[in-house]
């Protein structure tokens, strides 16, 4: 982190209009700690990963990919809210992560990150979240694991206005955001070459 203000990028793993995960991200945006803001970036225009469309085969990456990479490069941390599809990370989100993981200048490297999830099932995306650990490890990211935010039976946890009615989940979400802020504040500033990309 280079200045006093902390910027997050929020990513939802669901493209659905009524998505509980997108709702959870919006709730998080209202519970951010002091001096923290969040831009929610959609992954809906990211094409399927194809090395022919990536550098160096292509002169430039697809615009939606460039936009997402730049937003993440400029951010101090990432907050992911995702459903679990077939006990794992939804394909669209994994595809977006694959795009931004490529290259020496990947903005994921050393980036603080927190993942949470909402599911209509009873396990609240725990298996999806476990699968993210491998990605965080490979990309040398700085994950915030605790507290876990696992919103099970999400169809019963929001009111008609999209407010989260589960007070325990709200408490854990607040603590998670504080933990992400703390991770950002205590993570050393990345190398000069990385900062050149971020500028
Ligand atoms: C699901 N769902 C689901 N739920 C779960 O708890 N574990 C799972 O493995 C799966 N698998 C799964 C696969 C696919 C292809 C779909 C479409 C759905 C149900 C899922 O939790 C539910 O649809 C959520 O509401 C999706 O999140 P959003 O879209 O509300 O954010």
């Amino acid at each position: 982190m280079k200045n006093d203000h902390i910027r997050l990028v929020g990513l939802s793993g669901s493209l659905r209009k009524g998505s509980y995960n997108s709702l959870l991200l919006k709730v998080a945006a209202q519970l951010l700690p002091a001096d923290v803001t969040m831009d929610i970036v959609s992954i809906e225009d990211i094409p399927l990963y194809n090395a022919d469309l990536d550098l160096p085969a292509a002169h430039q990456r697809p615009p939606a990919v460039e936009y997402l990479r730049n937003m993440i490069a400029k951010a101090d941390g990432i907050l992911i809210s995702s459903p679990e599809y077939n006990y794992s990370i939804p394909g669209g989100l994994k595809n977006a992560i694959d795009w931004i993981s490529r290259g020496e200048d990947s903005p994921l490297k050393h980036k603080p990150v927190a993942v949470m999830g909402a599911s209509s099932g009873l396990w609240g995306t725990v298996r999806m979240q476990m699968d993210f650990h491998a990605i965080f490890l490979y990309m040398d990211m700085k994950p915030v694991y605790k507290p876990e935010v696992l919103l099970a039976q999400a169809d019963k946890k929001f009111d008609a206005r999209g407010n989260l009615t589960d007070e325990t989940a709200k408490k854990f979400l607040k603590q998670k955001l504080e933990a992400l802020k703390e991770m950002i504040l205590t993570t050393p500033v990345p190398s000069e070459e990385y900062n050149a990309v971020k500028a």
Side-chain angles (χ1 to χ4, degrees):
M1 211 195 82
K2 285 168 86 182
N3 47 43
D4 292 343
H5 188 76
I6 292 175
R7 295 164 67 172
L8 302 180
V9 161
L11 298 177
S12 172
S14 173
L15 304 181
R16 200 169 71 83
K17 227 186 305 157
S19 161
Y20 299 121
N21 285 282
S22 302
L23 272 184
L24 191 58
L25 214 46
K26 285 183 192 148
V27 172
Q30 292 159 9
L31 298 176
L32 293 172
D35 301 319
V36 180
T37 57
M38 179 164 69
D39 290 307
I40 296 176
V41 180
S42 171
I43 59 167
E44 68 185 333
D45 293 328
I46 305 277
L48 284 180
Y49 184 79
N50 177 345
D52 295 340
L53 304 179
D54 197 358
L55 305 181
H59 291 304
Q60 59 183 44
R61 298 183 174 103
V65 172
E66 272 310 323
Y67 180 75
L68 179 59
R69 287 181 69 107
N70 285 337
M71 288 299 285
I72 290 179
K74 282 190 272 179
D76 301 296
I78 306 171
L79 178 64
I80 297 168
S81 182
S82 177
E84 174 177 282
Y85 282 177
N86 297 303
Y87 287 8
S88 191
I89 301 168
L93 179 58
K94 176 64 166 55
N95 177 63
I97 299 286
D98 291 341
W99 266 112
I100 52 181
S101 71
R102 301 304 293 161
E104 284 303 306
D105 63 342
S106 168
L108 294 185
K109 281 186 191 168
H110 313 294
K111 188 76 74 179
V113 61
V115 62
M116 59 184 181
S119 146
S120 53
L122 289 174
W123 292 88
T125 75
V126 65
R127 293 155 297 215
M128 177 282 296
Q129 296 195 26
M130 292 293 290
D131 280 0
F132 259 110
H133 295 191
I135 295 171
F136 298 155
L137 187 65
Y138 182 65
M139 292 309 300
D140 285 324
M141 296 182 79
K142 307 289 177 203
V144 171
Y145 289 121
K146 302 285 176 62
E148 291 166 309
V149 179
L150 303 158
L151 195 69
Q153 299 187 299
D155 47 321
K156 301 183 180 74
K157 303 286 175 66
F158 295 93
D159 67 18
R161 291 183 167 175
N163 299 308
L164 183 59
T165 54
D166 181 333
E167 290 303 321
T168 307
K170 207 186 282 183
K171 185 181 85 184
F172 285 142
L173 174 50
K174 264 179 143 168
Q175 288 173 0
K176 184 122 195 170
L177 292 166
E178 291 288 354
L180 180 57
K181 179 180 179 181
E182 187 61 24
M183 178 66 84
I184 290 166
L185 291 173
T186 55
T187 296
V189 175
S191 68
E192 287 305 315
E193 79 215 59
Y194 176 70
N195 280 331
V197 175
K198 195 181 163 187

